[in-house]
Amino acid sequence: IKPKKVFKPKHPLPELHSYAGKANRGFWKEFPSNQKWPGSSLIDADALEELGASLGLLDDRFRTVLNDIRYGADIGCRGEARLPTRSKNSPSALEFGAQVSDAIADWVVKGFAHGPVRPQDLPKSAKVSGMMCKLKPNGSVRIIQNLSAPKLRSVNDGIDKKDFPAQMSSTRLFILALIRAGRGALMVKIDWSDAYKHIPVCAGDLNLQWFQWLGMYFCELDLIFGGVSSVGIFDRAAKVVNSVVQKLAGMPDDLVCQHLDDTCGAAPAGSGLAERFDKTFQAVAKQIGVHLAPRDDPEKSFGPSTEGIVLGVRYNTVDWTWAILRTG
């Protein structure tokens, strides 16, 4: 079991005794600001389109992803669910208030969130969702917008999940890839950083993405972790990027598994496929603007190796063994 790390903030914000109320003027004086509206993608649509055209990959899905990147994705919320509502932040957000403040500040600095906005300047049509959070192993938090509240009037209530399909991988599929690659196979694991934030949301849907913190308001400009349609919208983008990399690297489909922002591959030892696939992915990501996770944590990402963790299972292709990781 890995020990939890001590939280190290990225931004020097004043620490508050309580995060349940409003912060004073001094706190907001130190807080970063981003008034850009709407957001923009980290991905260079022109560069991605050029690659897709050169490889003969410009199908309907590819063009939909290019549209999402250029103009923002339609999150699919319809009807009364679009009407303004207000939801409170959860106890988890208040418990880890310093981490939540730091995470929001980081979003603002990176251009992922618009704000802070004073209450009197909040649009009348704004729908404000409550925040929850999940503690990460490094001591920071993952913010989750509760887009399923209020009941029957939430953003998620207005989205038909069938309109946003996502095809996930599984341990079974990766084991089949390993069997095809054979004993001694080299495995690769690639992870996107700030995955959902690569896809902006269209201007017409942004008023569905507001949240409140310490008396000020913010709007997420990109796909939200907690949105019913976010999974499918991101999944199609990840699959488009994978299709480019695989075509350039000559990597067969049955040796690659993609589970949202994780792409894992296995190739026969001595074939050079794993090395080529990994180098191609890194090069394409740099060319089109996809941010990949650093390789300082092999549980998240690793280069060609005979041992590694994929979807929570540790594999060793030399010993031909596997082990399920303990958690908690």
Side-chain angles (χ1 to χ4, degrees), residues 68-80:
D68 290 343
I69 293 169
R70 286 190 170 112
Y71 309 111
D74 179 343
I75 66 172
C77 182
R78 303 289 184 262
E80 293 185 4

Side-chain angles (χ1 to χ4, degrees), residues 75 77 81-82 127 129 147 155 205-210 224:
I75 66 172
C77 182
R82 297 184 65 88
K127 195 175 188 75
S129 296
L147 298 189
V155 173
D205 284 345
L206 286 182
N207 272 342
L208 302 172
Q209 304 206 150
W210 287 90
I224 285 182

Side-chain angles (χ1 to χ4, degrees), residues 76-136:
C77 182
R78 303 289 184 262
E80 293 185 4
R82 297 184 65 88
L83 296 176
T85 54
R86 300 288 185 271
S87 297
K88 294 182 179 179
N89 294 328
S90 73
S92 65
L94 305 182
E95 180 183 356
F96 300 104
Q99 290 95 320
V100 170
S101 294
D102 191 65
I104 295 170
D106 206 47
W107 280 353
V108 169
V109 169
K110 291 178 177 178
F112 300 159
H114 169 90
V117 172
R118 299 178 304 171
Q120 58 266 38
D121 297 325
L122 183 71
K124 291 182 179 179
S125 59
K127 195 175 188 75
V128 181
S129 296
M131 282 189 296
M132 306 178 287
C133 73
K134 183 177 180 181
L135 197 61
K136 295 181 180 180

Side-chain angles (χ1 to χ4, degrees), residues 3-118:
K4 291 182 179 179
K5 296 182 180 179
V6 177
F7 169 61
K8 293 182 179 179
K10 296 179 181 179
H11 305 278
L13 301 174
E15 191 167 344
L16 306 179
H17 293 297
S18 171
Y19 290 85
K22 297 180 180 180
N24 60 32
R25 190 174 299 177
F27 179 89
W28 293 114
K29 188 176 180 181
E30 300 297 323
F31 205 92
S33 175
N34 174 38
Q35 300 305 315
K36 182 180 179 181
W37 183 282
S40 58
S41 179
L42 297 172
I43 301 174
D44 184 334
D46 293 339
L48 179 59
E49 183 174 25
E50 185 176 342
L51 278 172
S54 68
L55 297 169
L57 297 173
L58 292 182
D59 57 10
D60 289 344
R61 181 178 66 183
F62 208 114
R63 291 188 177 89
T64 296
V65 170
L66 289 173
N67 188 76
D68 290 343
I69 293 169
R70 286 190 170 112
Y71 309 111
D74 179 343
I75 66 172
C77 182
R78 303 289 184 262
E80 293 185 4
R82 297 184 65 88
L83 296 176
T85 54
R86 300 288 185 271
S87 297
K88 294 182 179 179
N89 294 328
S90 73
S92 65
L94 305 182
E95 180 183 356
F96 300 104
Q99 290 95 320
V100 170
S101 294
D102 191 65
I104 295 170
D106 206 47
W107 280 353
V108 169
V109 169
K110 291 178 177 178
F112 300 159
H114 169 90
V117 172
R118 299 178 304 171

